[in-house]
Amino acid sequence: MITRIEYLEQIKKFKDKELIKVVTGIRRCGKSTLFKLFQKYLIENGIEKTQIININFEDIAYEHLTDYKILYKEISERLNKDKKTYIFLDEIQHVAKFEKTVDALYIKENTDIYITGSNAFFLSGELATLLSGRYVEIKMLPLSFKEYSSALPDNISSERKFSQYINEGGFPYLLRLEDEQSKKDYLEGIYNTIVLKDIAARKKLTDVSILESIIKYMFDNVGNLTSPKKISDTLTSYGRKVSQPTVESYVSSLLDSFILKKSERYDVSGKQLLKTQCKYYVTDIGLQRFILSGNKRNIGHNIENIVYLELIRRGYKVYTGKIDNLEIDFIAERNGFTYYYQVSMSVMDNAVLERELKPLNKIKDNNPKFLLTMDLVPETSHNGIRQINIIDWLLS
């Protein structure tokens, strides 16, 4: 079991605070394991097993508790009257009106509540209204390269580990599978559950093929500027007529299911967000490889995708930058500080180096600027712009 240190520290920080801890993230990214790690921590620090209630609604053994009234009754009867009870409700979106149960348990004395969900939709509507200001969200992603690398033998080079990571992605359970077919079957199971169970069923879709066409388009255009109109026009030209509102609705569902992440564009000169076009990135690069099986992937965009996810993991709000007619891969903001990033496979060619540095050199503020590449060279500086090897940066 890989100790997800950063997420474990986040959840420990809110222990016993009068807030509902909500862990969100794509299916199989490790939310249930995080609960197990935290429960182990509780027991090691003096909490009795009888003080912990753990229910995973993916387990058919708890199917009878998907009625929110029955769930409330079951938990109420198990509460410890003299000591705090730690309540863990995993994949709670399976319980209709679960927010009523959570709210009723929250107002009881000596309860500390932790819930997970694999779809952002469950955090909208009544839950957001009913529990406004009373919950904290911990956004979870699959394994970072640093976590992934730590699970592999030390005698494997970082470069080889990274090559494997870019092919397989970061779903933790994949590290326990040995053959390629088993890994493909596992990824197919995740994909089908998200598409058929989380999106198609909720939206009552009768034609899933249009949704899948949109998914393939989005996965094939990671790191490219796009818009619902562009997607609609492209698919229509391929003979799959689909309206712009339909595209917008489906893309929204893909974001809600955490299979995609959206990076809005920011105009550095005008100091404003741009409404036209943005970039999308996949939450797991291995899932993209599975969907685009047989298609040639853009490795440069895959690496850009990995950098984007790493910035998100490190707590940054990330935008795609624009200055005049030039593009900055990422503007990362955190705690009032701003950082600029360019990502490139290689800048050994002087023309490529000049092209990558040009937008960063146009920025006149003194915020830190970075050029991340796969070139195996020591860290260097170009007029204050730090060039760092991507693998070194990911492991730092």
Side-chain angles (χ1 to χ4, degrees), residues 57-86:
F57 293 99
E58 296 274 89
D59 188 338
I60 197 170
Y62 298 111
E63 191 173 15
H64 65 291
L65 297 179
T66 53
D67 181 301
Y68 77 94
K69 292 179 182 177
I70 296 175
L71 175 62
Y72 174 75
K73 184 174 184 294
E74 168 80 12
I75 295 176
S76 295
E77 291 174 351
R78 293 173 59 185
L79 294 178
N80 192 311
K81 293 182 174 58
D82 302 315
K83 298 178 181 179
K84 189 177 289 289
T85 301
Y86 296 85

mmCIF file of all heavy atoms in Angstrom, residues 57-86:
data_model
loop_
_atom_site.group_PDB
_atom_site.id
_atom_site.type_symbol
_atom_site.label_atom_id
_atom_site.label_comp_id
_atom_site.label_asym_id
_atom_site.label_seq_id
_atom_site.Cartn_x
_atom_site.Cartn_y
_atom_site.Cartn_z
ATOM 1 N N PHE A 57 -20.095 2.095 -0.205
ATOM 2 C CA PHE A 57 -21.327 1.820 -0.946
ATOM 3 C C PHE A 57 -21.092 1.149 -2.296
ATOM 4 O O PHE A 57 -22.044 0.849 -3.010
ATOM 5 C CB PHE A 57 -22.141 3.106 -1.097
ATOM 6 C CG PHE A 57 -22.680 3.605 0.213
ATOM 7 C CD1 PHE A 57 -22.034 4.629 0.897
ATOM 8 C CD2 PHE A 57 -23.788 3.028 0.783
ATOM 9 C CE1 PHE A 57 -22.509 5.075 2.125
ATOM 10 C CE2 PHE A 57 -24.279 3.464 2.012
ATOM 11 C CZ PHE A 57 -23.629 4.490 2.685
ATOM 12 N N GLU A 58 -19.820 0.888 -2.630
ATOM 13 C CA GLU A 58 -19.521 0.064 -3.797
ATOM 14 C C GLU A 58 -19.648 -1.421 -3.444
ATOM 15 O O GLU A 58 -19.726 -2.269 -4.323
ATOM 16 C CB GLU A 58 -18.100 0.351 -4.302
ATOM 17 C CG GLU A 58 -17.887 1.764 -4.798
ATOM 18 C CD GLU A 58 -18.281 1.952 -6.255
ATOM 19 O OE1 GLU A 58 -19.459 2.271 -6.509
ATOM 20 O OE2 GLU A 58 -17.425 1.792 -7.123
ATOM 21 N N ASP A 59 -19.651 -1.701 -2.135
ATOM 22 C CA ASP A 59 -19.760 -3.066 -1.633
ATOM 23 C C ASP A 59 -21.239 -3.441 -1.527
ATOM 24 O O ASP A 59 -22.009 -2.773 -0.828
ATOM 25 C CB ASP A 59 -19.091 -3.161 -0.261
ATOM 26 C CG ASP A 59 -18.977 -4.594 0.257
ATOM 27 O OD1 ASP A 59 -19.759 -5.455 -0.210
ATOM 28 O OD2 ASP A 59 -18.126 -4.835 1.128
ATOM 29 N N ILE A 60 -21.628 -4.510 -2.206
ATOM 30 C CA ILE A 60 -23.044 -4.920 -2.226
ATOM 31 C C ILE A 60 -23.558 -5.271 -0.829
ATOM 32 O O ILE A 60 -24.766 -5.256 -0.581
ATOM 33 C CB ILE A 60 -23.245 -6.103 -3.200
ATOM 34 C CG1 ILE A 60 -24.731 -6.256 -3.551
ATOM 35 C CG2 ILE A 60 -22.671 -7.396 -2.619
ATOM 36 C CD1 ILE A 60 -24.989 -7.223 -4.680
ATOM 37 N N ALA A 61 -22.655 -5.529 0.101
ATOM 38 C CA ALA A 61 -23.058 -5.847 1.472
ATOM 39 C C ALA A 61 -23.786 -4.680 2.129
ATOM 40 O O ALA A 61 -24.538 -4.873 3.099
ATOM 41 C CB ALA A 61 -21.837 -6.247 2.299
ATOM 42 N N TYR A 62 -23.558 -3.485 1.614
ATOM 43 C CA TYR A 62 -24.190 -2.297 2.201
ATOM 44 C C TYR A 62 -25.316 -1.746 1.331
ATOM 45 O O TYR A 62 -25.775 -0.620 1.535
ATOM 46 C CB TYR A 62 -23.137 -1.206 2.423
ATOM 47 C CG TYR A 62 -22.052 -1.617 3.389
ATOM 48 C CD1 TYR A 62 -20.750 -1.841 2.940
ATOM 49 C CD2 TYR A 62 -22.327 -1.797 4.744
ATOM 50 C CE1 TYR A 62 -19.750 -2.232 3.817
ATOM 51 C CE2 TYR A 62 -21.333 -2.175 5.632
ATOM 52 C CZ TYR A 62 -20.043 -2.398 5.157
ATOM 53 O OH TYR A 62 -19.057 -2.775 6.030
ATOM 54 N N GLU A 63 -25.769 -2.528 0.367
ATOM 55 C CA GLU A 63 -26.815 -2.058 -0.551
ATOM 56 C C GLU A 63 -28.092 -1.666 0.191
ATOM 57 O O GLU A 63 -28.790 -0.737 -0.218
ATOM 58 C CB GLU A 63 -27.114 -3.132 -1.592
ATOM 59 C CG GLU A 63 -27.995 -2.638 -2.738
ATOM 60 C CD GLU A 63 -28.138 -3.679 -3.837
ATOM 61 O OE1 GLU A 63 -27.815 -4.860 -3.602
ATOM 62 O OE2 GLU A 63 -28.582 -3.297 -4.944
ATOM 63 N N HIS A 64 -28.383 -2.353 1.296
ATOM 64 C CA HIS A 64 -29.604 -2.056 2.057
ATOM 65 C C HIS A 64 -29.536 -0.689 2.733
ATOM 66 O O HIS A 64 -30.555 -0.166 3.181
ATOM 67 C CB HIS A 64 -29.848 -3.140 3.113
ATOM 68 C CG HIS A 64 -28.798 -3.191 4.187
ATOM 69 N ND1 HIS A 64 -27.507 -3.610 3.942
ATOM 70 C CD2 HIS A 64 -28.863 -2.871 5.513
ATOM 71 C CE1 HIS A 64 -26.812 -3.543 5.068
ATOM 72 N NE2 HIS A 64 -27.606 -3.109 6.031
ATOM 73 N N LEU A 65 -28.354 -0.083 2.768
ATOM 74 C CA LEU A 65 -28.195 1.216 3.424
ATOM 75 C C LEU A 65 -28.262 2.382 2.434
ATOM 76 O O LEU A 65 -28.015 3.525 2.820
ATOM 77 C CB LEU A 65 -26.862 1.265 4.175
ATOM 78 C CG LEU A 65 -26.696 0.263 5.325
ATOM 79 C CD1 LEU A 65 -25.316 0.410 5.948
ATOM 80 C CD2 LEU A 65 -27.776 0.459 6.382
ATOM 81 N N THR A 66 -28.592 2.105 1.182
ATOM 82 C CA THR A 66 -28.656 3.196 0.204
ATOM 83 C C THR A 66 -29.925 4.027 0.334
ATOM 84 O O THR A 66 -30.117 4.989 -0.402
ATOM 85 C CB THR A 66 -28.531 2.650 -1.236
ATOM 86 O OG1 THR A 66 -29.503 1.629 -1.441
ATOM 87 C CG2 THR A 66 -27.138 2.085 -1.487
ATOM 88 N N ASP A 67 -30.806 3.662 1.254
ATOM 89 C CA ASP A 67 -31.938 4.511 1.649
ATOM 90 C C ASP A 67 -31.431 5.412 2.776
ATOM 91 O O ASP A 67 -30.969 4.934 3.816
ATOM 92 C CB ASP A 67 -33.107 3.646 2.126
ATOM 93 C CG ASP A 67 -34.320 4.481 2.539
ATOM 94 O OD1 ASP A 67 -34.176 5.328 3.453
ATOM 95 O OD2 ASP A 67 -35.395 4.285 1.961
ATOM 96 N N TYR A 68 -31.498 6.722 2.580
ATOM 97 C CA TYR A 68 -30.865 7.638 3.530
ATOM 98 C C TYR A 68 -31.441 7.541 4.943
ATOM 99 O O TYR A 68 -30.730 7.748 5.936
ATOM 100 C CB TYR A 68 -30.939 9.076 3.012
ATOM 101 C CG TYR A 68 -32.280 9.765 3.155
ATOM 102 C CD1 TYR A 68 -32.561 10.558 4.267
ATOM 103 C CD2 TYR A 68 -33.268 9.640 2.180
ATOM 104 C CE1 TYR A 68 -33.787 11.206 4.399
ATOM 105 C CE2 TYR A 68 -34.479 10.274 2.298
ATOM 106 C CZ TYR A 68 -34.743 11.055 3.410
ATOM 107 O OH TYR A 68 -35.957 11.680 3.544
ATOM 108 N N LYS A 69 -32.727 7.180 5.060
ATOM 109 C CA LYS A 69 -33.327 7.047 6.388
ATOM 110 C C LYS A 69 -32.789 5.810 7.110
ATOM 111 O O LYS A 69 -32.490 5.854 8.309
ATOM 112 C CB LYS A 69 -34.856 6.966 6.266
ATOM 113 C CG LYS A 69 -35.499 8.262 5.792
ATOM 114 C CD LYS A 69 -37.010 8.103 5.676
ATOM 115 C CE LYS A 69 -37.655 9.387 5.157
ATOM 116 N NZ LYS A 69 -39.124 9.230 4.978
ATOM 117 N N ILE A 70 -32.671 4.706 6.361
ATOM 118 C CA ILE A 70 -32.138 3.478 6.948
ATOM 119 C C ILE A 70 -30.666 3.682 7.318
ATOM 120 O O ILE A 70 -30.201 3.215 8.366
ATOM 121 C CB ILE A 70 -32.296 2.296 5.958
ATOM 122 C CG1 ILE A 70 -33.783 2.028 5.714
ATOM 123 C CG2 ILE A 70 -31.598 1.046 6.479
ATOM 124 C CD1 ILE A 70 -34.062 0.974 4.661
ATOM 125 N N LEU A 71 -29.937 4.389 6.467
ATOM 126 C CA LEU A 71 -28.530 4.669 6.737
ATOM 127 C C LEU A 71 -28.386 5.474 8.031
ATOM 128 O O LEU A 71 -27.543 5.152 8.889
ATOM 129 C CB LEU A 71 -27.918 5.436 5.566
ATOM 130 C CG LEU A 71 -26.468 5.912 5.743
ATOM 131 C CD1 LEU A 71 -25.532 4.719 5.916
ATOM 132 C CD2 LEU A 71 -26.034 6.777 4.561
ATOM 133 N N TYR A 72 -29.208 6.487 8.179
ATOM 134 C CA TYR A 72 -29.149 7.316 9.390
ATOM 135 C C TYR A 72 -29.440 6.481 10.639
ATOM 136 O O TYR A 72 -28.737 6.590 11.652
ATOM 137 C CB TYR A 72 -30.145 8.474 9.289
ATOM 138 C CG TYR A 72 -30.236 9.270 10.578
ATOM 139 C CD1 TYR A 72 -29.216 10.148 10.935
ATOM 140 C CD2 TYR A 72 -31.326 9.124 11.428
ATOM 141 C CE1 TYR A 72 -29.269 10.861 12.121
ATOM 142 C CE2 TYR A 72 -31.396 9.834 12.618
ATOM 143 C CZ TYR A 72 -30.367 10.695 12.957
ATOM 144 O OH TYR A 72 -30.422 11.388 14.145
ATOM 145 N N LYS A 73 -30.442 5.633 10.556
ATOM 146 C CA LYS A 73 -30.819 4.790 11.704
ATOM 147 C C LYS A 73 -29.673 3.845 12.070
ATOM 148 O O LYS A 73 -29.327 3.680 13.249
ATOM 149 C CB LYS A 73 -32.085 4.003 11.376
ATOM 150 C CG LYS A 73 -32.641 3.148 12.515
ATOM 151 C CD LYS A 73 -33.975 2.533 12.112
ATOM 152 C CE LYS A 73 -34.591 1.754 13.270
ATOM 153 N NZ LYS A 73 -33.792 0.571 13.644
ATOM 154 N N GLU A 74 -29.081 3.216 11.052
ATOM 155 C CA GLU A 74 -27.984 2.277 11.270
ATOM 156 C C GLU A 74 -26.812 2.947 11.975
ATOM 157 O O GLU A 74 -26.271 2.425 12.960
ATOM 158 C CB GLU A 74 -27.526 1.709 9.925
ATOM 159 C CG GLU A 74 -26.222 0.934 9.944
ATOM 160 C CD GLU A 74 -26.384 -0.496 10.433
ATOM 161 O OE1 GLU A 74 -27.537 -0.956 10.549
ATOM 162 O OE2 GLU A 74 -25.351 -1.141 10.697
ATOM 163 N N ILE A 75 -26.404 4.111 11.482
ATOM 164 C CA ILE A 75 -25.250 4.794 12.066
ATOM 165 C C ILE A 75 -25.575 5.332 13.449
ATOM 166 O O ILE A 75 -24.765 5.217 14.386
ATOM 167 C CB ILE A 75 -24.768 5.921 11.134
ATOM 168 C CG1 ILE A 75 -24.248 5.332 9.826
ATOM 169 C CG2 ILE A 75 -23.677 6.753 11.805
ATOM 170 C CD1 ILE A 75 -23.845 6.355 8.790
ATOM 171 N N SER A 76 -26.760 5.899 13.623
ATOM 172 C CA SER A 76 -27.159 6.461 14.925
ATOM 173 C C SER A 76 -27.083 5.420 16.026
ATOM 174 O O SER A 76 -26.663 5.707 17.158
ATOM 175 C CB SER A 76 -28.578 7.028 14.846
ATOM 176 O OG SER A 76 -28.628 8.127 13.972
ATOM 177 N N GLU A 77 -27.480 4.210 15.683
ATOM 178 C CA GLU A 77 -27.480 3.135 16.683
ATOM 179 C C GLU A 77 -26.078 2.663 17.034
ATOM 180 O O GLU A 77 -25.875 2.024 18.071
ATOM 181 C CB GLU A 77 -28.315 1.953 16.169
ATOM 182 C CG GLU A 77 -29.816 2.265 16.096
ATOM 183 C CD GLU A 77 -30.618 1.149 15.445
ATOM 184 O OE1 GLU A 77 -29.990 0.205 14.892
ATOM 185 O OE2 GLU A 77 -31.857 1.228 15.466
ATOM 186 N N ARG A 78 -25.108 2.980 16.189
ATOM 187 C CA ARG A 78 -23.729 2.533 16.423
ATOM 188 C C ARG A 78 -22.840 3.631 17.003
ATOM 189 O O ARG A 78 -21.657 3.394 17.279
ATOM 190 C CB ARG A 78 -23.119 2.026 15.104
ATOM 191 C CG ARG A 78 -23.773 0.746 14.591
ATOM 192 C CD ARG A 78 -23.249 0.379 13.209
ATOM 193 N NE ARG A 78 -21.806 0.173 13.204
ATOM 194 C CZ ARG A 78 -21.085 -0.056 12.109
ATOM 195 N NH1 ARG A 78 -21.705 -0.112 10.928
ATOM 196 N NH2 ARG A 78 -19.787 -0.232 12.171
ATOM 197 N N LEU A 79 -23.382 4.818 17.211
ATOM 198 C CA LEU A 79 -22.582 5.914 17.741
ATOM 199 C C LEU A 79 -22.141 5.629 19.172
ATOM 200 O O LEU A 79 -22.905 5.089 19.975
ATOM 201 C CB LEU A 79 -23.366 7.235 17.692
ATOM 202 C CG LEU A 79 -23.697 7.798 16.308
ATOM 203 C CD1 LEU A 79 -24.518 9.071 16.441
ATOM 204 C CD2 LEU A 79 -22.419 8.065 15.503
ATOM 205 N N ASN A 80 -20.902 5.989 19.471
ATOM 206 C CA ASN A 80 -20.364 5.856 20.826
ATOM 207 C C ASN A 80 -20.837 7.047 21.649
ATOM 208 O O ASN A 80 -20.543 8.190 21.311
ATOM 209 C CB ASN A 80 -18.832 5.792 20.775
ATOM 210 C CG ASN A 80 -18.222 5.379 22.090
ATOM 211 O OD1 ASN A 80 -18.551 5.921 23.132
ATOM 212 N ND2 ASN A 80 -17.315 4.401 22.026
ATOM 213 N N LYS A 81 -21.564 6.791 22.714
ATOM 214 C CA LYS A 81 -22.169 7.883 23.488
ATOM 215 C C LYS A 81 -21.154 8.683 24.290
ATOM 216 O O LYS A 81 -21.375 9.843 24.621
ATOM 217 C CB LYS A 81 -23.252 7.325 24.412
ATOM 218 C CG LYS A 81 -24.470 6.776 23.684
ATOM 219 C CD LYS A 81 -25.513 6.284 24.666
ATOM 220 C CE LYS A 81 -26.800 5.864 23.948
ATOM 221 N NZ LYS A 81 -26.574 4.806 22.940
ATOM 222 N N ASP A 82 -20.045 8.046 24.643
ATOM 223 C CA ASP A 82 -19.074 8.698 25.521
ATOM 224 C C ASP A 82 -17.829 9.206 24.797
ATOM 225 O O ASP A 82 -17.118 10.067 25.310
ATOM 226 C CB ASP A 82 -18.645 7.727 26.633
ATOM 227 C CG ASP A 82 -19.834 7.242 27.450
ATOM 228 O OD1 ASP A 82 -20.672 8.090 27.821
ATOM 229 O OD2 ASP A 82 -19.933 6.025 27.681
ATOM 230 N N LYS A 83 -17.558 8.667 23.604
ATOM 231 C CA LYS A 83 -16.367 9.055 22.865
ATOM 232 C C LYS A 83 -16.739 9.448 21.440
ATOM 233 O O LYS A 83 -17.805 9.106 20.960
ATOM 234 C CB LYS A 83 -15.360 7.899 22.842
ATOM 235 C CG LYS A 83 -14.859 7.477 24.213
ATOM 236 C CD LYS A 83 -13.902 6.298 24.089
ATOM 237 C CE LYS A 83 -13.404 5.852 25.459
ATOM 238 N NZ LYS A 83 -12.494 4.686 25.353
ATOM 239 N N LYS A 84 -15.829 10.153 20.801
ATOM 240 C CA LYS A 84 -16.077 10.587 19.422
ATOM 241 C C LYS A 84 -16.139 9.389 18.480
ATOM 242 O O LYS A 84 -15.354 8.446 18.599
ATOM 243 C CB LYS A 84 -14.997 11.563 18.956
ATOM 244 C CG LYS A 84 -15.299 12.219 17.609
ATOM 245 C CD LYS A 84 -14.229 13.222 17.231
ATOM 246 C CE LYS A 84 -14.277 14.467 18.106
ATOM 247 N NZ LYS A 84 -15.475 15.304 17.807
ATOM 248 N N THR A 85 -17.092 9.421 17.558
ATOM 249 C CA THR A 85 -17.215 8.386 16.536
ATOM 250 C C THR A 85 -16.765 8.953 15.201
ATOM 251 O O THR A 85 -17.209 10.028 14.783
ATOM 252 C CB THR A 85 -18.660 7.880 16.422
ATOM 253 O OG1 THR A 85 -19.082 7.354 17.683
ATOM 254 C CG2 THR A 85 -18.759 6.775 15.372
ATOM 255 N N TYR A 86 -15.876 8.229 14.540
ATOM 256 C CA TYR A 86 -15.354 8.642 13.238
ATOM 257 C C TYR A 86 -16.125 7.879 12.163
ATOM 258 O O TYR A 86 -16.062 6.653 12.095
ATOM 259 C CB TYR A 86 -13.852 8.372 13.162
ATOM 260 C CG TYR A 86 -13.080 9.203 14.162
ATOM 261 C CD1 TYR A 86 -12.910 8.767 15.479
ATOM 262 C CD2 TYR A 86 -12.556 10.439 13.799
ATOM 263 C CE1 TYR A 86 -12.234 9.542 16.410
ATOM 264 C CE2 TYR A 86 -11.878 11.226 14.719
ATOM 265 C CZ TYR A 86 -11.723 10.766 16.020
ATOM 266 O OH TYR A 86 -11.058 11.554 16.940
#
